[in-house]
Amino acid sequence: MKDIYILGIESSCDETSFSIVKNGIEEISTVISTQIDIHKKYGGVVPEIASRAHIKNITFVLEECLEQAKIKMEDITAIAITYGPGLIGSLLVGVECAKTLSFLYNKPLIPVHHIAGHIYANNLVKRLEFPLIALVISGGHTELIYMKSDYSFEKLGATLDDAVGECYDKVAKVLGIEYPGGPKIDKLASLGEKKYDLPIPLNDDTYDFSFSGLKSAVINLVHKEKLRGKEINKEDLAASFQDVVIKSLTKKTMHAVKEYNVKNLILAGGVAANSGIRKEFQKLCEENNINYTFPSIKYATDNAAMIASAGYYAYLKGRRADLTLNAVSSDELK
Ligand code: KG4
Ligand code: ZN
């Protein structure tokens, strides 16, 4: 079979990224331009500023990606684009770019759901094996997905309120830690002990999650200690918070693994970079003889390599979009 080269484009939040992936598994080149430094001073991503930064960067990132790959647009088989969900202005910049390239070079356009991309970040580590359970944990999503084959997604449960990454970032903020706080809380947690008592949210037999109660519990605890004139031990609070997050994620996920009788588990999304979460899942999978794959730390957070990998399987399934493709801020995984 002729090799298939997919150009992936990702611009759903604060990363502008292009990547070329061969046959769904072989990464040829990836360029990511992050806006973290721009948004840091506002304590989170400012949508209007994000879209402007994408417009400014997008052609440079594309050029660099093609240059690194030593591949011309003419040699690309198809273009995979994140059409949603995400920040609408940011998504639109990528979608318009993808449509323009598709029209100019007469290449098929493949619409890719952002979460399908996060799931396929694992395919760049090791070819996915089915059936599998995917735990998607990012700044905007917390979902349990069952996949019986490539590009087939069944949602088992999701957060009823905040996403786990959002919760990490809010907890970091109340502790005076800069955006994005997730990685810093992870580091602090590894230095602390579980000394603060926090409730395990939605501790039931469903596949749904809830993180807003936990977030409020941490915020209230910090304020109460302040009123009492007591100093919060950030390391211990981070360790206590992360322990509760891990308990909630592992309980629901391992329950799904058993109920659906699967032997393969993957983690996906920015929070899948968390060392405490990875360590606990690794231990549980080894104890239960479950094969596990985690995304590389570099590609746990937003990037276009994962979009190009997912795009390859969507391409094989015949998924196509035309020039009427629009960006959507929310959409079910499909
Ligand atoms: O997947 P992602 O790049 O963007 C979304 O699609 O949302 O995820 C970003 C999220 C942020 O909330 C960030 O704080 C979190 O992932 N994150 C982490 C870690 N690294 C990134 N959270 C906890 N521990 C980490 N090591
Ligand atoms: Zn993401």
Side-chain angles (χ1 to χ4, degrees):
M1 204 172 89
K2 208 174 152 239
D3 287 329
I4 293 176
Y5 291 87
I6 305 286
L7 174 70
I9 309 177
E10 159 64 38
S11 72
S12 66
C13 191
D14 56 344
E15 267 88 30
T16 320
S17 179
F18 283 80
S19 176
I20 297 167
V21 170
K22 183 176 159 188
N23 300 330
I25 48 169
E26 195 184 320
E27 182 191 3
I28 307 291
S29 76
T30 302
V31 180
I32 307 172
S33 163
T34 179
Q35 307 171 8
I36 283 179
D37 281 342
I38 304 174
H39 298 289
K40 237 182 204 168
K41 53 179 174 286
Y42 304 103
V45 179
V46 184
E48 182 60 27
I49 297 175
S51 349
R52 283 166 194 256
H54 283 302
I55 293 172
K56 213 167 126 191
N57 293 337
I58 202 153
T59 46
F60 298 109
V61 181
L62 167 64
E63 270 173 17
E64 199 179 324
C65 177
L66 291 168
E67 210 167 280
Q68 278 185 19
K70 306 214 176 336
I71 286 178
K72 295 198 291 292
M73 268 314 294
E74 287 77 3
D75 305 322
I76 296 290
T77 315
I79 299 161
I81 172 69
T82 308
Y83 69 94
L87 302 173
I88 196 74
S90 294
L91 286 163
L92 275 170
V93 180
V95 167
E96 288 310 313
C97 172
K99 289 200 288 192
T100 308
L101 291 171
S102 158
F103 177 71
L104 264 179
Y105 295 96
N106 195 23
K107 303 288 176 190
L109 192 58
I110 312 159
V112 173
H113 191 286
H114 183 71
I115 293 305
H118 274 303
I119 287 174
Y120 276 88
N122 288 281
N123 199 63
L124 295 162
V125 176
K126 191 168 152 271
R127 178 72 183 105
L128 297 185
E129 286 179 60
F130 302 99
L132 66 76
I133 294 285
L135 171 65
V136 179
I137 37 178
S138 75
H141 296 262
T142 307
E143 288 172 12
L144 267 173
I145 309 285
Y146 171 74
M147 291 176 76
K148 58 178 185 312
S149 59
D150 269 311
Y151 236 79
S152 120
F153 309 102
E154 187 188 329
K155 185 159 99 181
L156 307 181
T159 180
L160 303 176
D161 39 60
D162 292 357
V164 64
E166 194 183 343
C167 188
Y168 262 93
D169 295 338
K170 297 259 169 70
V171 164
K173 202 169 178 180
V174 77
L175 292 178
I177 297 165
E178 268 185 338
Y179 171 83
K184 286 153 204 149
I185 294 283
D186 186 8
K187 212 172 221 165
L188 284 176
S190 68
L191 304 170
E193 282 176 46
K194 300 173 269 180
K195 287 195 177 153
Y196 293 97
D197 213 12
L198 294 166
I200 300 178
L202 213 66
N203 197 8
D204 59 15
D205 284 337
T206 68
Y207 296 126
D208 290 327
F209 301 92
S210 165
F211 290 103
S212 76
L214 176 60
K215 175 187 73 185
S216 305
V218 173
I219 294 173
N220 290 341
L221 197 151
V222 171
H223 288 164
K224 264 192 205 146
E225 294 293 277
K226 241 186 216 158
L227 283 176
R228 281 203 212 138
K230 277 191 168 175
E231 188 86 15
I232 278 276
N233 182 312
K234 289 186 186 178
E235 287 83 1
D236 289 348
L237 183 57
S240 311
F241 163 73
Q242 186 152 296
D243 179 60
V244 170
V245 169
I246 292 173
K247 285 199 172 107
S248 169
L249 295 176
T250 51
K251 177 182 170 170
K252 304 270 168 150
T253 309
M254 297 316 281
H255 180 207
V257 165
K258 278 205 188 92
E259 286 290 303
Y260 281 77
N261 197 21
V262 306
K263 288 272 162 246
N264 304 294
L265 172 70
I266 61 172
L267 301 185
V271 185
N274 185 277
S275 60
I277 294 174
R278 288 165 95 102
K279 204 165 137 197
E280 189 60 18
F281 270 109
Q282 180 175 350
K283 185 177 136 244
L284 288 171
C285 286
E286 282 166 3
E287 280 170 10
N288 292 284
N289 270 327
I290 306 294
N291 303 315
Y292 59 90
T293 309
F294 306 147
S296 66
I297 301 287
K298 194 167 96 188
Y299 294 156
T301 46
D302 293 349
N303 67 86
M306 67 186 197
I307 303 301
S309 178
Y312 171 79
Y313 298 94
Y315 175 80
L316 293 186
K317 281 218 155 180
R319 287 197 74 175
R320 302 288 183 272
D322 60 22
L323 297 181
T324 62
L325 177 69
N326 208 350
V328 289
S329 56
S330 66
D331 196 22
E332 280 299 310
L333 174 57
K334 56 182 188 291

Coordinates of all heavy atoms in Angstrom, one line a residue, residues 114 118 138-140 165-166 168-169 180-183 186 269-271 273-274 300-302, ligand 1:
H114 N -11.3 16.9 18.9 CA -10.1 17.1 19.7 C -9.8 15.9 20.7 O -8.6 15.6 20.8 CB -10.3 18.4 20.5 CG -9.1 18.8 21.4 ND1 -7.9 19.3 20.8 CD2 -8.9 18.8 22.7 CE1 -7.0 19.5 21.8 NE2 -7.6 19.2 22.9
H118 N -6.5 13.4 21.4 CA -5.9 13.0 22.7 C -5.7 11.5 22.8 O -4.7 11.0 23.3 CB -6.6 13.6 23.9 CG -6.2 15.0 24.2 ND1 -4.9 15.4 24.5 CD2 -6.9 16.2 24.2 CE1 -4.9 16.7 24.7 NE2 -6.1 17.2 24.6
S138 N -8.4 16.2 30.8 CA -7.7 17.4 30.3 C -8.3 18.6 31.0 O -9.0 18.5 31.9 CB -7.9 17.5 28.8 OG -9.2 17.9 28.5
G139 N -7.9 19.8 30.4 CA -8.4 21.0 31.0 C -9.9 21.2 30.8 O -10.6 21.9 31.5
G140 N -10.4 20.6 29.7 CA -11.8 20.8 29.4 C -12.7 19.5 29.5 O -13.9 19.6 29.4
G165 N -8.6 18.9 34.9 CA -7.5 19.9 34.7 C -7.9 21.2 35.2 O -7.1 22.0 35.8
E166 N -9.2 21.6 35.0 CA -9.7 22.9 35.4 C -9.6 23.0 36.9 O -9.2 24.0 37.5 CB -11.2 22.9 35.0 CG -11.9 24.2 35.0 CD -13.4 23.9 34.6 OE1 -13.7 22.9 34.0 OE2 -14.2 24.8 34.9
Y168 N -7.5 21.3 38.8 CA -6.0 21.5 39.2 C -5.6 22.9 39.1 O -5.0 23.5 39.9 CB -5.2 20.6 38.2 CG -4.7 19.3 38.8 CD1 -5.5 18.1 38.5 CD2 -3.6 19.2 39.5 CE1 -5.1 16.9 39.0 CE2 -3.2 18.0 40.1 CZ -3.9 16.8 39.8 OH -3.6 15.6 40.3
D169 N -6.1 23.6 38.0 CA -5.7 25.0 37.7 C -6.3 25.9 38.8 O -5.6 26.9 39.2 CB -6.1 25.4 36.3 CG -5.3 24.6 35.3 OD1 -4.2 24.1 35.6 OD2 -5.7 24.5 34.1
P180 N -0.3 27.4 33.7 CA -1.2 26.3 34.2 C -0.7 25.6 35.4 O 0.4 25.2 35.4 CB -1.2 25.4 32.9 CG 0.1 25.6 32.3 CD 0.6 26.9 32.7
G181 N -1.5 25.6 36.4 CA -1.0 25.1 37.7 C -0.9 23.6 37.8 O -0.2 23.1 38.8
G182 N -1.5 22.8 36.9 CA -1.5 21.3 37.0 C -0.1 20.8 37.3 O 0.2 20.1 38.3
P183 N 0.9 21.1 36.4 CA 2.2 20.5 36.6 C 2.9 20.9 37.9 O 3.6 20.1 38.5 CB 3.0 21.1 35.4 CG 2.0 21.5 34.4 CD 0.8 21.9 35.2
D186 N 1.4 18.9 40.7 CA 2.0 17.6 40.6 C 3.3 17.5 41.4 O 3.6 16.6 42.2 CB 2.1 17.3 39.1 CG 2.6 15.9 38.8 OD1 2.6 15.1 39.8 OD2 2.9 15.6 37.7
G269 N -5.0 13.2 27.4 CA -5.3 14.5 27.8 C -4.2 15.1 28.7 O -3.3 14.3 29.2
G270 N -4.1 16.4 28.8 CA -3.0 17.1 29.5 C -2.8 16.5 30.9 O -1.6 16.4 31.3
V271 N -3.8 16.2 31.7 CA -3.6 15.7 33.0 C -3.0 14.3 33.0 O -2.5 13.8 34.1 CB -5.0 15.7 33.8 CG1 -4.8 15.4 35.3 CG2 -5.6 17.1 33.7
A273 N -0.3 13.7 32.0 CA 1.1 13.9 32.2 C 1.4 13.8 33.7 O 2.6 13.8 34.1 CB 1.5 15.3 31.7
N274 N 0.4 13.7 34.5 CA 0.6 13.8 36.0 C 1.3 12.5 36.5 O 0.8 11.4 36.3 CB -0.8 13.9 36.7 CG -0.7 14.1 38.2 OD1 -0.6 13.1 38.9 ND2 -0.7 15.3 38.6
A300 N 1.0 14.7 25.8 CA -0.2 14.6 26.6 C -1.0 15.8 26.5 O -2.2 15.8 26.3 CB 0.2 14.4 28.1
T301 N -0.3 17.0 26.4 CA -1.0 18.3 26.2 C -1.2 18.5 24.7 O -0.7 17.7 23.9 CB -0.2 19.4 26.9 OG1 1.2 19.3 26.6 CG2 -0.3 19.4 28.4
D302 N -1.9 19.6 24.4 CA -2.3 19.8 23.0 C -1.1 19.8 22.0 O -0.1 20.5 22.2 CB -3.1 21.1 22.9 CG -4.4 21.0 23.6 OD1 -4.8 19.9 24.0 OD2 -5.1 22.0 23.8
Ligands
KG4_1 O1 -5.1 18.5 27.0 P1 -4.7 19.9 27.4 O2 -3.4 20.5 26.9 O3 -5.8 21.0 27.0 C1 -7.2 20.7 27.0 O4 -7.6 20.0 26.0 O5 -7.8 21.0 27.9 O6 -4.7 19.9 29.0 C2 -4.3 21.1 29.8 C3 -4.5 20.8 31.2 C4 -4.3 22.0 32.1 O7 -5.4 22.0 33.0 C5 -3.1 21.6 32.9 O8 -3.0 22.2 34.2 C6 -3.2 20.1 33.0 O9 -3.6 19.7 31.7 N1 -1.9 19.4 33.2 C7 -1.6 18.8 34.4 C8 -0.3 18.3 34.3 N2 0.2 18.7 33.1 C9 -0.8 19.4 32.5 N3 -2.4 18.5 35.4 C10 -1.9 17.8 36.4 N4 -0.6 17.3 36.4 C11 0.2 17.5 35.4 N5 1.5 17.1 35.4

